[in-house]
Amino acid sequence: MAALQKPVPIVDIGELVARSDVIVDSAPTAAFRDIATAALGAGKHWSPSAARL
């Protein structure tokens, strides 16, 4: 990420959901339920990675 021209913020799940309209989830399995619950609970579009399913 250091090579990117614009810094990428690192935020918690609540902030991620607040900043996003669509969330494409490729996070580790341990975070799957927390991200899904937060995203769907806020009415956001959530797309889990097919690699995990």
Side-chain angles (χ1 to χ4, degrees):
M1 289 187 0
L4 298 175
Q5 292 180 349
K6 186 175 181 182
V8 176
I10 298 179
V11 298
D12 64 25
I13 294 170
E15 184 68 17
L16 170 71
V17 170
R19 292 179 177 220
S20 304
D21 293 320
V22 176
I23 299 165
V24 178
D25 178 4
S26 60
T29 302
F32 184 88
R33 183 181 304 259
D34 291 338
I35 294 171
T37 301
L40 296 173
K44 304 293 178 137
H45 298 282
W46 172 70
S47 178
S49 171
R52 184 180 331 147
L53 297 177

